[in-house]
Amino acid sequence: MAGEAKARRLPRAVRERQMVDAAVRCFARSGYQAASMDEIAELAGVSKPLVYLYLGSKEELFTTVIRREAGALLRAVAAGVGGDGVPPDERLWSGLLAFFTYAAEHQDSWVVLSRQARTHGEPFAGEAARMREEIVGFVAGLIGEAAGEAEVALGGRDVEALAQALVGSAESLAGWANETSGVTAKEAAETLMNFAWAGLGNLMKSERWSPR
Amino acid sequence: MAGEAKARRLPRAVRERQMVDAAVRCFARSGYQAASMDEIAELAGVSKPLVYLYLGSKEELFTTVIRREAGALLRAVAAGVGGDGVPPDERLWSGLLAFFTYAAEHQDSWVVLSRQARTHGEPFAGEAARMREEIVGFVAGLIGEAAGEAEVALGGRDVEALAQALVGSAESLAGWANETSGVTAKEAAETLMNFAWAGLGNLMKSERWSPR
Amino acid sequence: MAGEAKARRLPRAVRERQMVDAAVRCFARSGYQAASMDEIAELAGVSKPLVYLYLGSKEELFTTVIRREAGALLRAVAAGVGGDGVPPDERLWSGLLAFFTYAAEHQDSWVVLSRQARTHGEPFAGEAARMREEIVGFVAGLIGEAAGEAEVALGGRDVEALAQALVGSAESLAGWANETSGVTAKEAAETLMNFAWAGLGNLMKSERWSPR
Amino acid sequence: MAGEAKARRLPRAVRERQMVDAAVRCFARSGYQAASMDEIAELAGVSKPLVYLYLGSKEELFTTVIRREAGALLRAVAAGVGGDGVPPDERLWSGLLAFFTYAAEHQDSWVVLSRQARTHGEPFAGEAARMREEIVGFVAGLIGEAAGEAEVALGGRDVEALAQALVGSAESLAGWANETSGVTAKEAAETLMNFAWAGLGNLMKSERWSPR
DNA sequence: AATGAATGAGCCTTCATTCAT
DNA sequence: GATGAATGAAGGCTCATTCAT
């Protein structure tokens, strides 16, 4: 009578996790539209109505996915950046390391956050933008801090623009590292520190490059 | 009597342009899947069968769009980068300026190339990747050239990684500039030159940042 | 209260039968191309997606129809032809009777097998050809057997040709009987036995017709 | 200025023939529905509107095709059957020979008449039925004549049924001969004469087969 | 807690057919 | 005599979503 391999009647929290895990994978592989609820339910090992019962709708499910993964990424980066009492370059370094590590160890999650969520309109793009802004905020904080220490005057928009540039290069390197065999998170972080911090270091000494 | 007298019976080349223009707009706004052929035909001011007659299928249409827009962007950037006889930092500067100008003046095109094409699987992602690699190649060439002049030894993978970082920051800044009112292409290019070239400048002096 | 209370939520097997039944009717009346899936679904009393869910595609559905009906016809004829120990003319007679009875009682099925399946290209024609070859094989077997008993030498190709002729006349008579009121299966079978067996009988006596 | 390979400005009759020829081929290969007007126009080497200008509509075109080919087949068979003063078996022989020869030499025509026209509903089936009835009429006439000579009483329905059987076996043998390499029209006609006339001969001698 | 059965709505695609030159 | 340009209409297929158990 018993003995069925498939575990049934699991507690709701466990089932939900399975479903959201499956959804992350499917959305990462196929994209929001191409991923079907059938596919997700099958990968989660449950029937489709159960997905609807627990997660609402496809849109709600994707939103749930984005929120959960964004939270995980933010927590990882925040832990890497650490708190006060540490010089900003050290904190940037460990933040980048945490970021590249997350992107490498949770590739589906990273694909969903960096591509799918930003490409499929509202409300997903907004959700992803909110997360990205938090990360840009971290970086902007560090840049502002460093500028303060170096007693260099940087406008808010300048800081914002530099943070956008740094975050963009991190995103690009993360994708490249994930697609290129043999590139570790540490190497990616080192490249970016060399590229960015050294450049920022010059900025701090008011050595600016200018056209002509 | 005159006015918008809905021009009919246009030559094929004109109609095709109208359709591809409409497709660029629709794919940029809605993405590949969400954009409907009805929508595109209506925006182009023709019936759906004509779109199929001239452009084949939705997939072929999207491919055509990507190729056309990628070609335009590449030509713009290549013209900006220019030829030999000019120092690499000058060439990077004018290349970036051309790039940010293109991204600002053809926002739909840029959205299609930077987001939609990369997010909707093969064969589109491959098409977009090919274009991006050309741009990365431009940048890598400039970095390699600069390293040569400064007599600094940089491994191929280092150059590639730095180019990926620089291109990523350009992409990020382009998106930010397009979403943020009052940021011009020139400002974006200046920010990036400060961020990147100054950093690269230090690298050329072998002043590397290292962990701990 | 009772009456045609549109039965809903039927088990899959029942629904599938209803659909295939409806498909037989539609394909017989309109042909493969002209029959629409909407039409079939409506006649089956279900929605179109259910047809696709259970039967796959129009092509698969038509193949399913052909296979099911061919199987039924073959079983009927095989039962009629019977086994050894009975003289070949008796077996031909009861086989023909079974055939004309089937064609009269399942006219849609017969139309699908004899016309639609053979007229709409591969893979349907092949499926129908396979069935027809089995029937031709039955007949060829009987003819060969009779030739053996009569100690007449008939080449394999002669037997095949005679079987083709006999099967063709049966097909023709079946169509004519179905279109002509008052012609029973028994009469059709008698006509054919008179036409064919008597002629074959002469052949057994080596009385061949020859020109001039 | 001149010199274009494609002959243009042909007289209407020639153009029409080209189109109907092309239509015969297309309808034979693809069937009525699957054959497209584009395909036919292209094979005829003209533009689509010209087909409509000359032949009306797809339905009219198919009807034209059936009528033209049916006429050709009937003329061939009628010429074969010949007139009075010749014994009925000789006339059947030469009629069958003419028929098998036509079917072998105009295979597309034969496919259209025997399959496509009969399978695609009204008004085509009626057109094809009319032609077939004429052929059945020829055969019925010969059978009736032979019965008269032999002073055997055959009911009208019996004659009709026998004619249907004979025509069906001819159709079947024609298809088989066309698909089987090495079977000539003469061989097919001989097989059928042996199969049919010998049997009918017995009938003439009032030797009937009966069950049990 | 969980699912088999079922559908409304929409999209891609094709084709016969016509218009204006 | 002949055609490039253009479309209304319809059909195959899929998918998110719900009902009844």
Side-chain angles (χ1 to χ4, degrees):
Chain A
M1 289 298 176
E4 261 295 330
K6 267 189 186 170
R8 308 222 165 229
R9 309 270 152 179
L10 296 182
R12 170 158 184 161
V14 176
R15 279 279 191 242
E16 274 197 15
R17 234 207 100 164
Q18 290 177 341
M19 294 177 196
V20 177
D21 287 348
V24 169
R25 192 175 188 98
C26 288
F27 286 136
R29 313 274 154 153
S30 318
Y32 174 61
Q33 317 246 13
S36 77
M37 294 298 270
D38 279 282
E39 200 183 338
I40 293 169
E42 185 181 330
L43 185 58
V46 298
S47 71
K48 232 183 333 177
L50 201 61
V51 179
Y52 280 88
L53 189 62
Y54 283 2
L55 278 322
S57 68
K58 195 184 189 185
E59 187 170 323
E60 286 180 72
L61 174 55
F62 195 36
T63 306
T64 298
V65 161
I66 296 173
R67 289 216 178 108
R68 193 186 81 170
E69 303 305 304
L73 171 57
L74 281 176
R75 272 191 301 279
V77 170
V81 169
D84 308 319
V86 182
D89 62 337
E90 298 271 351
R91 294 170 68 197
L92 179 59
W93 160 255
S94 49
L96 286 176
L97 196 55
F99 167 75
F100 285 116
T101 303
Y102 182 94
E105 290 179 352
H106 306 84
Q107 301 206 6
D108 286 339
S109 175
W110 174 241
V111 167
V112 166
L113 291 174
S114 64
R115 294 228 168 283
Q116 303 300 347
R118 298 178 78 184
T119 318
H120 288 98
E122 293 313 319
F124 317 123
E127 208 68 47
R130 207 137 42 232
M131 174 212 70
R132 196 174 187 270
E133 273 159 27
E134 282 208 53
I135 294 197
V136 170
F138 284 147
V139 175
L142 295 177
I143 294 176
E145 200 178 318
E149 289 185 1
E151 294 180 2
V152 172
L154 273 182
R157 175 157 288 183
D158 286 337
V159 172
E160 164 86 5
L162 290 168
Q164 289 283 350
L166 200 154
V167 167
S169 49
E171 289 165 341
S172 176
L173 278 173
W176 176 74
N178 281 350
E179 286 161 14
T180 310
S181 69
V183 178
T184 66
K186 200 179 164 208
E187 285 163 2
E190 279 175 4
T191 295
L192 188 41
M193 284 304 290
N194 276 318
F195 176 65
W197 197 256
L200 290 172
N202 274 358
L203 280 182
M204 301 315 151
K205 291 182 245 156
S206 297
E207 291 180 10
R208 304 188 134 242
W209 183 96
S210 59
R212 184 106 56 81
Chain B
M1 289 301 174
E4 262 299 335
K6 254 199 177 182
R8 304 229 162 229
R9 303 276 145 176
L10 298 183
R12 173 164 181 159
V14 176
R15 279 286 191 237
E16 274 194 14
R17 235 209 99 164
Q18 291 176 341
M19 292 175 196
V20 178
D21 287 347
V24 169
R25 192 173 188 98
C26 287
F27 286 136
R29 313 273 159 173
S30 317
Y32 175 61
Q33 320 239 17
S36 81
M37 294 298 269
D38 279 283
E39 199 183 334
I40 293 170
E42 186 180 339
L43 185 59
V46 298
S47 70
K48 228 184 335 176
L50 203 59
V51 181
Y52 280 89
L53 189 62
Y54 284 178
L55 280 321
S57 68
K58 195 183 189 185
E59 186 170 326
E60 284 179 75
L61 175 54
F62 195 34
T63 305
T64 298
V65 161
I66 295 173
R67 292 218 175 107
R68 193 186 81 170
E69 302 306 304
L73 172 56
L74 280 176
R75 273 192 299 280
V77 170
V81 169
D84 309 319
V86 182
D89 61 338
E90 297 272 350
R91 293 169 70 196
L92 178 60
W93 161 255
S94 50
L96 287 176
L97 196 55
F99 167 74
F100 286 116
T101 302
Y102 182 93
E105 289 179 353
H106 307 86
Q107 302 207 5
D108 286 339
S109 175
W110 173 241
V111 168
V112 165
L113 292 174
S114 64
R115 295 226 170 286
Q116 304 300 349
R118 300 178 76 184
T119 315
H120 287 96
E122 293 313 319
F124 316 124
E127 208 68 47
R130 210 136 43 228
M131 177 213 67
R132 195 174 187 269
E133 273 159 27
E134 281 208 54
I135 295 196
V136 169
F138 283 146
V139 175
L142 295 176
I143 294 176
E145 200 178 319
E149 290 184 359
E151 295 180 1
V152 172
L154 273 182
R157 173 158 288 184
D158 287 336
V159 172
E160 165 87 7
L162 290 168
Q164 288 283 350
L166 200 155
V167 167
S169 49
E171 290 166 341
S172 176
L173 277 172
W176 176 73
N178 280 349
E179 285 161 14
T180 311
S181 69
V183 179
T184 66
K186 200 181 163 206
E187 286 163 2
E190 280 176 1
T191 295
L192 188 41
M193 284 304 290
N194 276 319
F195 175 66
W197 198 256
L200 290 173
N202 274 357
L203 280 182
M204 301 315 151
K205 293 181 242 155
S206 296
E207 294 180 8
R208 305 190 133 242
W209 185 96
S210 57
R212 184 96 60 80
Chain C
M1 287 301 176
E4 263 298 335
K6 255 198 176 182
R8 306 232 160 225
R9 302 279 145 175
L10 298 183
R12 173 165 181 158
V14 176
R15 278 286 191 236
E16 274 194 16
R17 234 209 99 161
Q18 291 177 341
M19 292 176 197
V20 177
D21 287 347
V24 169
R25 192 175 188 96
C26 287
F27 286 135
R29 314 273 159 171
S30 317
Y32 175 61
Q33 320 239 18
S36 81
M37 293 297 270
D38 280 283
E39 200 183 333
I40 293 169
E42 186 180 339
L43 184 59
V46 299
S47 69
K48 223 184 342 175
L50 203 60
V51 180
Y52 280 91
L53 189 61
Y54 285 176
L55 279 322
S57 67
K58 196 183 187 183
E59 186 170 326
E60 285 179 75
L61 174 54
F62 195 34
T63 305
T64 298
V65 161
I66 296 173
R67 292 219 175 106
R68 194 186 78 171
E69 303 306 305
L73 172 55
L74 281 175
R75 273 192 300 279
V77 170
V81 169
D84 308 318
V86 182
D89 61 336
E90 297 272 349
R91 293 169 69 196
L92 178 60
W93 160 256
S94 50
L96 286 176
L97 195 56
F99 167 74
F100 285 116
T101 303
Y102 182 94
E105 289 179 354
H106 306 85
Q107 303 208 3
D108 287 337
S109 176
W110 174 240
V111 168
V112 165
L113 291 175
S114 63
R115 294 226 169 286
Q116 304 301 348
R118 299 177 77 184
T119 315
H120 287 96
E122 294 310 321
F124 316 124
E127 208 68 47
R130 210 139 40 231
M131 176 212 68
R132 196 174 187 271
E133 273 159 27
E134 282 208 53
I135 294 197
V136 170
F138 284 147
V139 174
L142 295 176
I143 294 176
E145 201 177 319
E149 291 185 358
E151 294 180 1
V152 171
L154 274 181
R157 174 159 286 185
D158 288 334
V159 172
E160 164 87 6
L162 290 168
Q164 289 283 349
L166 200 156
V167 167
S169 49
E171 289 166 343
S172 177
L173 277 172
W176 176 73
N178 281 349
E179 285 161 15
T180 310
S181 68
V183 179
T184 65
K186 200 180 165 209
E187 284 162 5
E190 279 175 1
T191 295
L192 188 41
M193 282 305 289
N194 277 318
F195 176 66
W197 199 254
L200 291 172
N202 274 357
L203 282 183
M204 301 316 151
K205 293 179 241 155
S206 295
E207 294 178 8
R208 306 195 130 241
W209 184 97
S210 57
R212 186 91 59 83
Chain D
M1 287 300 175
E4 262 293 332
K6 266 188 186 169
R8 308 221 166 229
R9 308 270 154 179
L10 296 183
R12 169 157 184 161
V14 177
R15 278 277 193 245
E16 275 196 14
R17 234 207 99 164
Q18 290 176 342
M19 292 176 197
V20 178
D21 286 348
V24 169
R25 192 176 187 97
C26 288
F27 287 137
R29 312 275 154 152
S30 317
Y32 174 61
Q33 317 247 10
S36 79
M37 294 298 270
D38 279 282
E39 200 182 339
I40 293 168
E42 184 182 330
L43 185 59
V46 299
S47 72
K48 231 182 335 175
L50 202 59
V51 180
Y52 280 90
L53 189 62
Y54 284 2
L55 280 321
S57 68
K58 194 183 189 185
E59 188 171 322
E60 286 178 72
L61 174 53
F62 195 35
T63 305
T64 299
V65 161
I66 296 173
R67 290 215 178 109
R68 194 186 80 171
E69 303 306 304
L73 172 55
L74 281 176
R75 272 191 302 279
V77 170
V81 168
D84 307 319
V86 182
D89 62 337
E90 298 273 349
R91 295 169 68 197
L92 179 60
W93 160 255
S94 50
L96 286 176
L97 196 56
F99 167 74
F100 286 117
T101 303
Y102 182 94
E105 290 180 353
H106 306 84
Q107 302 206 4
D108 286 340
S109 176
W110 173 241
V111 168
V112 165
L113 292 174
S114 64
R115 294 229 168 284
Q116 303 301 345
R118 299 178 77 184
T119 320
H120 288 99
E122 292 314 317
F124 316 122
E127 209 66 49
R130 207 137 42 230
M131 175 213 68
R132 196 174 187 269
E133 274 159 26
E134 283 206 52
I135 294 197
V136 170
F138 284 145
V139 175
L142 295 176
I143 294 177
E145 201 177 317
E149 290 184 0
E151 294 179 2
V152 172
L154 274 182
R157 175 158 288 182
D158 286 335
V159 172
E160 164 88 6
L162 290 169
Q164 288 284 349
L166 200 155
V167 168
S169 49
E171 290 166 341
S172 177
L173 278 173
W176 177 74
N178 280 350
E179 285 162 14
T180 309
S181 69
V183 178
T184 66
K186 198 179 165 210
E187 285 163 3
E190 279 175 3
T191 295
L192 188 41
M193 283 304 290
N194 276 318
F195 175 66
W197 198 256
L200 292 172
N202 273 358
L203 282 182
M204 302 317 152
K205 294 180 241 156
S206 295
E207 293 179 8
R208 307 194 128 242
W209 184 96
S210 58
R212 186 100 56 80

